[in-house]
């Protein structure tokens, strides 16, 4: 006899640990690149490798390998943080010396410069520029007519709200999910709105729904585009660079961005060459050294 099955009964129920793990990853995601670095590089690489070095050859020596552990800890801490902090430092210096638009990738500097040529910079220059950017993005998603206008109006308004919203520190972003209208929360809402619209307009199921297309060879994530247009407006409009030719500004920023990239690469290489001299406290490889315990009772 075949017995009927009640499909309403859940065959598996997640345990508390699973729910906790999900919440941890959500917190890491809200923390951004800094939180990802701390968790991935420090927790997943630095700490395990240091512990492994500390216990190297313990079964032969009977004691912890403190020199190996210290060297590994220094190496992981210095190399990991330098690869995170050096680029940040170079970009911050470039922004200070040249302007905020130096943070924008070369192709996007080119595309935003072409868009701003068509913008009305006499009144509400920033708003008109944002509207023209989202109009082009909407056109590249096959939006037309009122649908296109509504899209550009809505996203221009959203970006203005993001710029006026308070900014939360990394601790607040990671451990507080309460809706407070902070910048990061409004950006997340904008990304959700964009992906829903693109999902309904793009036939390619493999397309990245978070990417906004500015030109045939340039698509950037919508959250990054929000930062790009703000940096461009801060530099070109508020920085009074609009008094010079747009093409000249474009070439200046594309050039400074290229030089910044070269400088970042060279400096990172120099740092990697210097770091071993800092964390190498032993003249030989401490992990290869094995000094066995003296046998008890003078026996050999």
């Amino acid at each position: 006899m075949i017995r009927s099955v009640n499909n309403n009964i859940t065959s598996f129920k997640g345990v508390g640990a699973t729910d906790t793990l999900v919440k941890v990853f959500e917190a890491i995601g809200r923390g951004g690149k800094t939180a990802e670095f701390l968790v991935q590089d420090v927790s997943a690489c630095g700490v395990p490798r240091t512990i492994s070095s500390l216990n190297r050859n313990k079964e032969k020596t009977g004691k912890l390998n403190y020199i190996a552990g210290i060297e590994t800890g220094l190496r992981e801490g210095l190399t990991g943080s330098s690869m995170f902090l050096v680029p940040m430092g170079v970009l911050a210096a470039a922004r200070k010396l040249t302007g905020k638009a130096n943070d924008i990738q070369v192709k996007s500097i080119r595309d935003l410069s072409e868009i701003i040529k068509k913008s009305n910079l006499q009144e509400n220059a920033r708003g008109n520029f944002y509207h023209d950017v989202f109009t082009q993005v909407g056109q590249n998603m096959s939006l037309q007519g009122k649908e296109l206008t509504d899209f550009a109006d809505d996203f221009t308004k959203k970006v203005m709200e993001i710029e006026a919203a308070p900014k939360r520190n990394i601790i607040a972003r990671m451990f507080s999910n309460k809706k407070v209208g902070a910048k990061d929360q409004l950006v997340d809402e904008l990304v959700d709105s964009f992906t829903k619209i693109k999902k309904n307009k793009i036939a390619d199921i493999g397309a990245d729904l978070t990417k906004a297309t500015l030109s045939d060879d340039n698509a950037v994530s919508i959250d990054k585009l929000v930062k790009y247009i703000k940096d461009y407006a801060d530099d070109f409009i508020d920085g009074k660079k609009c008094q010079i030719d747009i093409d000249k500004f474009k070439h200046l920023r594309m050039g400074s961005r290229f030089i910044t990239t070269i400088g970042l690469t060279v400096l990172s290489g120099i740092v990697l060459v210097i770091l071993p001299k800092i964390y190498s406290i032993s003249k030989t490889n401490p992990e290869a050294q094995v000094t066995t315990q003296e046998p008890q009772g003078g026996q050999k």
Side-chain angles (χ1 to χ4, degrees), residues 19 23 25 54 75 79 81 113 134 156 170 211 215 264 282:
D19 184 55
K23 290 181 178 179
F25 282 116
L54 192 63
R75 182 184 69 240
T79 55
S81 59
S113 297
F134 288 116
T156 297
I170 184 174
K211 289 290 184 68
S215 61
L264 190 153
S282 176

Side-chain angles (χ1 to χ4, degrees), residues 217-280:
D217 64 343
N218 184 31
V220 298
S221 59
I222 186 65
D223 56 334
K224 186 175 290 185
L225 180 60
V226 170
K227 182 179 183 304
Y228 281 0
I229 59 178
K230 179 185 183 303
D231 286 344
Y232 195 104
D234 285 348
D235 198 356
F236 186 76
I237 298 173
D238 292 353
K240 305 302 180 184
K241 298 293 194 307
C242 53
Q243 296 173 357
I244 67 174
D245 181 74
I246 294 175
D247 286 326
K248 181 179 179 181
F249 176 81
K250 176 181 70 174
H251 293 139
L252 286 172
R253 286 296 170 270
M254 290 175 70
S256 64
R257 173 70 188 195
F258 177 76
I259 294 172
T260 299
T261 302
I262 297 297
L264 190 153
T265 304
V266 172
L267 185 58
S268 296
I270 293 173
V271 170
L272 287 177
V273 171
I274 295 174
L275 285 180
K277 299 179 181 179
I278 299 175
Y279 64 71
S280 297

